Amino acid sequence: MDLKQLIRNVPDFPVEGIQFKDVTTLLKDGDAFAHAVDLMYDPFRDEEITKIAGIEARGFIFAAAMAYKLNLGFIPIRKPGKLPAETVAEEYVLEYGKNVIEMHVDAVTEDDRVLVVDDLLATGGTAAAACRLIEKLNGTIVGVSFLIELTELKGREQLAQYPVHSLIQYPI
Ligand code: AMP
């Protein structure tokens, strides 16, 4: 199954110059969605994973499906102010300015071995901050899994200390 051909490139969204990789065209195909989720955890199937962490918003879709499939707990990593209980936060630098992501302080314990999931790896700032959040609570990162990687942005360099897997690559 050619998953790549099910991803829609939308030029100049949300701002001029960005080639937005739209996964809704893959998600609406049931076989493709299931196949993508299976292939996203396949390299980690022999690892002892205890929880799947998903990054808001499109990461939730793949991470939650994976957690259900593997009968594991799901951890939401969210934009600031969305999680209701006590949180830990991590900042990361964007081209212009900064972003913050949060996770509940009781989401992870030192016994957890976590697979981090998002739809797309660009510069790697978001996923690296997600990994730092989990490590702040003494969890172990088993790996980081993406549907798509924009290879020319070299996001892997930010995640050099973790096993990183992507299913579909574009230069940018
Ligand atoms: P980064 O922190 O630069 O690796 O950005 C990754 C996050 O931004 C992911 O959660 C993606 O959903 C989103 N993102 C960045 N670039 C794109 C793109 N070209 N198309 C779709 N989503 C993107």
Side-chain angles (χ1 to χ4, degrees):
M1 184 182 290
D2 186 0
L3 295 175
K4 194 172 189 173
Q5 59 139 25
L6 291 173
I7 292 165
R8 171 162 58 194
N9 189 75
V10 183
D12 300 321
F13 182 88
V15 294
E16 212 179 314
I18 299 291
Q19 301 290 324
F20 193 86
K21 304 298 182 282
D22 177 17
V23 298
T24 64
T25 37
L26 181 149
L27 292 172
K28 71 178 179 180
D29 179 325
D31 288 338
F33 180 27
H35 193 51
V37 170
D38 287 348
L39 292 176
M40 283 173 76
Y41 75 75
D42 195 62
F44 305 102
R45 65 164 63 244
D46 294 331
E47 298 288 339
E48 246 176 65
I49 303 169
T50 63
K51 289 195 175 81
I52 308 285
I55 303 174
E56 185 174 357
R58 289 178 298 276
F60 286 1
I61 300 167
F62 296 95
M66 203 180 291
Y68 183 78
K69 173 102 182 184
L70 299 174
N71 202 26
L72 293 172
F74 167 77
I75 301 167
I77 295 180
R78 300 207 63 177
K79 288 161 190 156
K82 302 278 189 184
L83 289 166
E86 191 186 343
T87 57
V88 278
E90 269 292 325
E91 250 183 29
Y92 57 99
V93 179
L94 302 171
E95 201 176 349
Y96 301 101
K98 285 177 185 168
N99 252 353
V100 177
I101 51 172
E102 295 182 346
M103 185 175 75
H104 275 143
V105 288
D106 59 359
V108 172
T109 71
E110 62 185 10
D111 297 327
D112 277 317
R113 294 174 49 79
V114 182
L115 180 63
V116 176
V117 175
D118 203 359
D119 66 325
L120 185 141
L121 173 62
T123 66
T126 314
C131 292
R132 290 198 301 276
L133 276 179
I134 290 159
E135 288 177 336
K136 239 181 195 175
L137 299 175
N138 300 314
T140 301
I141 308 293
V142 170
V144 194
S145 186
F146 302 93
L147 179 69
I148 303 166
E149 176 177 4
L150 306 183
T151 53
E152 281 184 7
L153 299 181
K154 301 192 191 306
R156 270 177 194 263
E157 289 178 5
Q158 293 234 39
L159 300 170
Q161 64 267 55
Y162 312 113
V164 174
H165 179 254
S166 65
L167 274 191
I168 297 165
Q169 296 80 29
Y170 298 89
I172 196 155

